[in-house]
């Protein structure tokens, strides 16, 4: 199947709002992490159920997807519901108040844009679980999160493959901090119940990817922001285990940067105030993240390595 339109992805990477989901407070504990995970699972649960409710199987078949894909899609709907129920039960058992689902606005209009957005959401979900795992102190909770992460990764591979993308585009998963994940999730949240507990997260200023994707390493990619830029800045790409900063330049009001060779698959771009080595810290982030899809190079391997 040929690659689909990335209008849904463009919406995700350009429309970050201060949604009434969470208010920032001090320390992060295990209940916060579980509730943050539940927030994301609620979003996916409502997203998938809305998709299969609005678009029957025949619409997916007419759009070029297969019956096998649609059957797998129903399993994903089941999985996301199970994740919501498990996290809700775990929080209740621990004496914490689970957050309820919010009201959402998802910008898909047909099966292609739905699957494109599903692929991106699943990728963000994987990045969220990877990024939050070092913050979990309970081995039992960490085991639950790891189990969900495996399933979300399977979902990601299915959606990517169905779009004609390389499913294992990067040898490694990409971790994101909770503020970066919240920045992306807030795009779709219209309102949340006032009874939901406030979690210690906040959104970064938005960064918009302003040219077509997928992209490829070595090309000049453009971004825009809705605020004044400082004179010296970097565009920092986070992909797999690699965090790579390249000098950014301004050209006609647009930010330009060369995509590094380390970027493969779903990649997150930030504007940072420093050349990042190692992990990207929240204090370094000026804008972002924006999501771009980077076509990986042809695979290489050495048959003599046993």
């Amino acid at each position: 199947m040929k690659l689909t339109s990335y209008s849904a992805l463009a919406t995700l990477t350009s429309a970050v709002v201060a949604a009434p989901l969470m208010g920032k407070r001090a320390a992060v504990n295990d209940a916060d992490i579980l509730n943050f995970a539940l927030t994301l699972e609620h979003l996916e649960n409502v997203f998938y159920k809305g998709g299969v409710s609005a678009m029957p199987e025949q619409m997916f078949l007419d759009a070029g997807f297969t019956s096998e894909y649609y059957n797998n899609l129903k399993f994903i709907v089941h999985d996301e519901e199970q994740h919501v129920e498990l996290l809700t039960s775990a929080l209740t058992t621990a004496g914490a108040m689970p957050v309820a689902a919010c009201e959402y606005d998802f910008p898909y209009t047909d099966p292609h844009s739905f699957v494109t957005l599903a692929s991106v959401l699943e990728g963000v979900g994987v990045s969220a679980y990877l990024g939050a795992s070092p913050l979990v102190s309970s081995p039992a909770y960490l085991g639950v999160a790891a189990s969900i992460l495996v399933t979300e990764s399977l979902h990601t591979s299915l959606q990517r493959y169905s779009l004609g993308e390389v499913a294992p585009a990067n040898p490694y998963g990409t971790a994101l901090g909770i503020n970066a994940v919240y920045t992306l999730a807030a795009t779709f949240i219209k309102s949340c119940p006032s009874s939901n507990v406030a979690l210690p997260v906040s959104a970064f200023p938005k960064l918009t990817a302003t040219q077509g994707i997928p992209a490829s390493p070595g090309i000049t990619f453009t971004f825009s922001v809705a605020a004044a830029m400082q004179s010296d800045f970097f565009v920092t790409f986070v992909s797999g285990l690699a965090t790579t900063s390249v000098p950014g330049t301004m050209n006609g009001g647009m930010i330009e940067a060369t995509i590094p060779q380390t970027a493969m698959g779903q990649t997150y771009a930030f504007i940072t105030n420093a050349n990042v080595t190692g992990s990207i810290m929240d204090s370094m982030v000026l804008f972002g993240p924006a999501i771009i899809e980077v076509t990986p190079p042809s695979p290489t391997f050495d048959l003599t390595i046993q």
Side-chain angles (χ1 to χ4, degrees):
M1 179 181 299
K2 66 181 181 180
L3 293 177
T4 60
S5 167
Y6 278 78
S7 58
L9 177 54
T11 300
L12 174 61
T13 60
S14 64
V16 175
V17 296
L21 171 62
M22 307 173 185
K24 191 167 185 177
R25 58 182 174 77
V28 178
N29 57 40
D30 282 357
D32 292 332
I33 297 302
L34 289 187
N35 255 325
F36 187 64
L38 179 57
T39 298
L40 301 178
E41 296 296 346
H42 275 311
L43 187 152
E44 289 185 315
N45 183 44
V46 173
F47 167 75
Y48 278 114
K49 287 180 176 175
V52 297
S53 297
M55 296 178 291
E57 179 178 2
Q58 189 59 51
M59 287 185 65
F60 285 86
L61 297 177
D62 293 343
F65 296 95
T66 65
S67 293
E68 290 76 14
Y69 170 79
Y70 192 79
N71 188 53
N72 276 281
L73 181 59
K74 291 188 291 184
F75 276 96
I76 292 178
V77 178
H78 168 265
D79 291 347
E80 301 300 354
E81 180 180 283
Q82 292 295 305
H83 296 169
V84 167
E85 292 184 349
L86 176 62
L87 292 171
T88 299
S89 176
L91 283 158
T92 302
T93 300
M97 177 67 70
V99 295
C102 301
E103 291 188 23
Y104 309 97
D105 183 17
F106 299 110
Y108 62 84
T109 57
D110 53 37
H112 281 287
S113 57
F114 174 81
V115 178
T116 299
L117 184 53
S119 174
V120 174
L121 290 177
E122 294 289 0
V124 172
V126 170
S127 295
Y129 278 99
L130 278 175
S133 59
L135 304 176
V136 178
S137 60
S138 165
Y141 289 163
L142 187 59
V144 169
S147 180
I148 294 175
L149 169 60
V150 171
T151 303
E152 299 291 354
S153 297
L154 293 172
H155 296 172
T156 303
S157 292
L158 172 69
Q159 303 294 12
R160 291 181 61 85
Y161 182 78
S162 297
L163 290 168
E165 298 172 349
V166 177
N170 196 306
Y172 309 103
T174 305
L176 274 184
I178 58 175
N179 285 334
V181 173
Y182 170 61
T183 301
L184 297 170
T187 304
F188 306 106
I189 299 171
K190 295 172 61 178
S191 64
C192 291
S194 59
S195 57
N196 277 6
V197 63
L199 298 179
V201 295
S202 59
F204 297 121
K206 72 176 182 180
L207 175 65
T208 302
T210 56
Q211 70 186 63
I213 47 181
S216 59
I219 72 166
T220 299
F221 204 87
T222 58
F223 305 89
S224 67
V225 297
M229 286 291 298
Q230 65 184 49
S231 56
D232 296 320
F233 64 91
F234 294 83
V235 181
T236 298
F237 296 87
V238 181
S239 184
L241 297 178
T243 300
T244 307
S245 293
V246 299
T249 58
M250 298 298 299
N251 184 3
M254 307 297 289
I255 299 167
E256 292 186 344
T258 302
I259 297 178
Q261 297 297 320
T262 54
M264 293 176 280
Q266 184 161 311
T267 298
Y268 305 99
F270 297 82
I271 305 299
T272 59
N273 58 16
N275 183 352
V276 180
T277 57
S279 300
I280 185 170
M281 309 298 293
D282 286 351
S283 59
M284 301 174 176
V285 177
L286 301 175
F287 302 92
I291 299 176
I292 59 175
E293 176 65 28
V294 181
T295 302
S298 297
T300 60
F301 44 87
D302 185 348
L303 294 176
T304 66
I305 297 176
Q306 301 295 321

